[in-house]
């Protein structure tokens, strides 16, 4: 049986290609606004999976565009009724459904208080879209699985295009098509991942680690493991993990580590050695042979992925891991207990 | 035997009183700089416990001062070598030791790129202090326990004073003395907490929940539980927890919930009902009788705590919980495995 979650994971390359074909014009218009208005800061309001996409936004725009970004705390507006003053700021609301009431209210507040506002959503008619100055749609088609996959990848892709448009890199759609191909390569590795998850049938807790821009990947994989497998998984920056939480490490403690090539690789490799020395059970997603050799369970990834695109590709490996672990545990990944597709929080 | 951690927890009221006596002048000078320079945004660089204090800073300054705040991702500077542009921004580095190399490097970068920089540290001679335009010391005396307690509380107190100075509330030192008295009241409840932790002798995982400004309290308690008890504990905003991670809830799943009076109370009460309905084991820190009645293990707190001070008072209850749970598990809270007092990450 093909579950909805897996079917929608399979649509992800098509979503990227559709965005490459159809989103570039709208994305460039938003980039033009950011330039014309000389916006200097970005704040991002989001919940759940979308909050992980917001982490990607923050790293990407800081690294590639030099614009400091912060994550919003919606309760400051919705419960404390604070009056935030936004000068020269872009405020972005991310919600696949566009329904999250606290994100909508935050955007309305930001717009009334000087911000230029942007919605990234899969529903152009949603309250979030109607509240914002501009909307960038995900072109992902309706998502029916409670565990979001294709809208997460679509959101990252829109963010990627926007960053590249701001840097006037006109080959961005082409690069996104390349990412679609890379995702297909990851999906082809499904039989391997299906085989190795059995070992984690009775895993109760774990951590998901990464450094830098793949922080988003660690967070998203942790959320997928929680939602579909009920595994208590906490995501950390590898650096933060060394401050205190490293005390969790005892022989056999499972650590998922995302270690793509790029600026963070050397320090991640060091951390992998420390984890191994501490006896951790290391599950390493990487293309580099040295770091894979430190894994109890290596998960080889395609090589030569441009670093800004790596979260789009690595997230799919995380999805496969969570999905097949759910099946190995005889759980239905389409019916997480206690959840509905749209969560209403204030 | 009195462990270092507990001895330093006992010093916390004295630290607050010392700050009330000695810090106000320096704090007002920094507030004056923020006003004179018309700083419009704040970014905060910190690791571990200090990062939890940074969360308090963000909520407090957004709620009380209307200044949008963001948490920094140091690797953007230290590994990716991004050029961040800070216009009209205050960048704050928080580190009790003032040694964290990535925080120091982030501050140096921010200062060179237009930011006004502030160090909050327990060591006036530290690299962090030497890198920043201004330094606010914690007046906490040397901290010897690996698990930070009095420097965490001292950091929150300095942040509180700075926010109040910016609002020209000249009774702030007096309010801080009141918080010292409230902490003493919490410490007097130690025998109760010592008694109830036995029930959690074999707890392997839990979540720590709060909404709004006590997000910092949930995060800090989670870190203390990890460091001293090796309990896998993840902190959430109650609202975020409802987006996906609520799937963790099954009968008996332990949830620590911090629910002080104030703007977030009503929604937190609703969440407590949902947790109870889901069969969760609720450990509730609160003063309100209604929400305490939803607790499997109520931890009554002093009433009428001004909301901006509540994280200072509630954190101490979290410390007592973690400390006594460590003892109940026959662990030495002064010797967390795998950790040293100063963590060097790049």
């Amino acid at each position: 049986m093909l579950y909805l979650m897996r079917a929608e994971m399979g649509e992800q390359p098509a979503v990227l290609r559709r965005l490459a074909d159809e989103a570039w014009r709208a994305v460039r218009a938003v980039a033009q606004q950011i330039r014309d208005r000389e916006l200097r800061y970005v704040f991002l309001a989001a919940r759940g999976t979308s909050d992980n996409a917001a982490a990607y936004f923050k790293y990407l725009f800081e690294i590639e565009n030099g614009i400091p970004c912060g994550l919003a705390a919606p309760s400051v507006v919705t419960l404390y009724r604070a009056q935030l003053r936004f000068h020269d700021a872009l405020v972005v609301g991310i919600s696949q459904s566009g329904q999250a009431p606290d994100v909508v209210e935050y955007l309305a507040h930001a717009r009334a208080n000087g911000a230029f506002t942007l919605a990234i959503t899969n529903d152009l008619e949603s309250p979030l879209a109607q509240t914002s100055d501009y909307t960038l749609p995900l072109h992902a088609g309706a998502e029916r699985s409670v565990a979001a996959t294709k809208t997460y990848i679509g959101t990252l892709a829109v963010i990627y295009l926007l960053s590249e448009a701001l840097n006037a890199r006109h080959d961005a759609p082409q690069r996104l098509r390349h990412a679609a191909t890379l995702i297909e390569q990851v999906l082809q590795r499904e039989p391997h991942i299906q085989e190795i998850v059995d070992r984690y049938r009775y895993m109760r807790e774990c951590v998901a680690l990464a450094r830098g821009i793949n922080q988003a990947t660690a967070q998203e994989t942790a959320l997928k493991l929680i939602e579909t497998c009920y595994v208590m998984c906490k995501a950390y920056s590898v650096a933060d993990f060394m401050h205190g939480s490293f005390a969790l490490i005892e022989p056999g403690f499972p650590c998922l580590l995302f270690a793509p090539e790029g600026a963070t690789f050397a320090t991640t490799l060091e951390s992998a050695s420390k984890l191994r020395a501490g006896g951790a059970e290391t599950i390493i997603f990487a293309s580099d042979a040295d770091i894979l050799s430190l894994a109890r369970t290596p998960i080889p990834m395609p090589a030569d992925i441009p670093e800004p695109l790596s979260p789009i590709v690595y997230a799919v490996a995380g999805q496969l891991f969570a999905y097949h672990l759910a099946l190995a545990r005889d759980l239905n990944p389409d019916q997480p207990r206690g959840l509905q597709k749209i969560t209403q929080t204030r």
Side-chain angles (χ1 to χ4, degrees), chain A:
Chain A
M1 170 178 175
L2 194 62
Y3 288 96
L4 286 176
M5 181 182 171
R6 179 64 188 83
E8 290 174 350
M9 286 161 58
E11 295 171 28
Q12 294 177 130
V15 172
L16 293 202
R17 292 192 179 105
R18 209 175 306 139
L19 284 167
D21 291 342
E22 297 178 21
W24 189 229
R25 177 196 291 261
V27 162
R28 276 186 301 173
V30 174
Q32 192 60 48
Q33 289 287 329
I34 295 172
R35 271 192 299 265
D36 290 351
R37 293 164 186 263
E38 298 183 46
L39 303 181
R40 301 179 185 284
Y41 292 98
V42 178
F43 283 82
L44 299 138
R47 292 284 184 201
T49 294
S50 299
D51 208 32
N52 303 333
Y56 175 71
F57 193 121
K58 174 178 166 64
Y59 278 95
L60 190 66
F61 273 66
E62 292 195 344
I63 294 166
E64 299 287 326
N65 307 92
I67 304 175
C69 302
L71 303 187
S75 68
V76 165
V77 168
T78 61
L79 300 178
Y80 290 101
R81 302 282 161 206
Q83 291 297 317
L84 293 171
R85 296 180 298 278
F86 290 103
H87 295 266
D88 305 329
L90 169 67
V91 174
V92 183
I94 307 176
S95 167
Q96 73 84 17
S97 70
Q99 302 288 340
D102 42 6
V103 175
V104 174
E105 191 175 337
Y106 194 91
L107 267 275
H109 174 85
R111 193 177 179 183
N113 286 273
F116 177 68
T117 52
L118 168 66
I120 300 178
T121 176
N122 205 22
D123 181 356
L124 270 171
E125 309 297 320
S126 63
L128 184 64
Q130 287 168 18
T131 303
S132 306
D133 291 303
Y134 272 69
T135 299
L136 291 174
L138 302 180
H139 293 286
E143 184 169 66
R144 293 193 295 150
S145 166
V146 174
T149 56
K150 66 176 179 174
T151 57
Y152 175 72
I153 294 298
T155 303
L156 297 197
V158 166
I159 293 166
Y160 173 76
L161 290 176
L162 184 59
S163 167
E164 294 290 68
L166 210 50
N167 284 335
R169 293 187 60 169
H170 298 297
D171 60 347
Q174 195 177 321
R175 287 160 167 266
L176 205 55
R177 281 189 205 97
H178 177 53
T181 306
L182 290 165
I183 288 181
E184 284 164 348
Q185 291 173 18
V186 173
L187 289 172
Q188 281 160 13
R189 292 163 196 229
E190 184 166 13
H192 172 64
I193 292 177
Q194 185 167 11
E195 203 177 291
I196 56 100
V197 292
D198 246 21
R199 179 172 172 85
Y200 305 102
R201 165 65 178 90
Y202 289 102
M203 174 171 75
R204 289 183 50 171
E205 63 233 343
C206 64
V207 294
L209 305 173
R211 190 78 199 270
I213 199 164
N214 276 285
Q215 201 39 36
T217 311
Q219 289 174 202
E220 177 59 9
T221 302
L223 182 53
K224 287 290 157 285
L225 283 169
I226 287 171
E227 286 180 315
T228 63
C229 304
Y230 316 136
V231 172
M232 177 73 184
C233 181
K234 184 167 177 176
Y236 286 93
S237 143
V238 179
D240 261 330
F241 187 64
M242 298 297 158
H243 289 258
S245 297
F246 191 79
L248 285 173
I249 296 302
E250 62 182 349
F253 190 89
C255 300
L256 281 73
L257 181 64
F258 296 90
E261 297 152 272
T264 60
F265 181 75
T267 178
T268 307
L269 179 61
E270 261 177 52
S271 304
S273 298
K274 282 182 199 158
L275 292 171
R276 195 61 197 262
E281 165 96 13
T282 46
I283 302 154
I284 302 183
F285 299 75
S287 60
D288 178 89
D290 287 344
I291 198 163
L292 286 172
S293 75
L294 293 170
R296 182 63 179 82
T297 299
I299 302 188
M301 296 287 293
D304 302 321
I305 303 174
E307 195 170 9
L309 290 170
S310 63
I312 296 180
V313 183
Y314 275 66
V316 177
Q319 292 167 353
L320 284 172
F321 188 90
Y323 174 78
H324 283 289
L325 185 57
L327 298 186
R329 294 161 92 102
D330 293 333
L331 296 168
N332 178 345
D334 288 342
Q335 294 185 337
R337 65 186 176 206
L339 299 184
Q340 290 165 336
K341 182 65 181 162
I342 298 174
T343 311
Q344 306 263 354
T345 50
R346 279 173 299 144

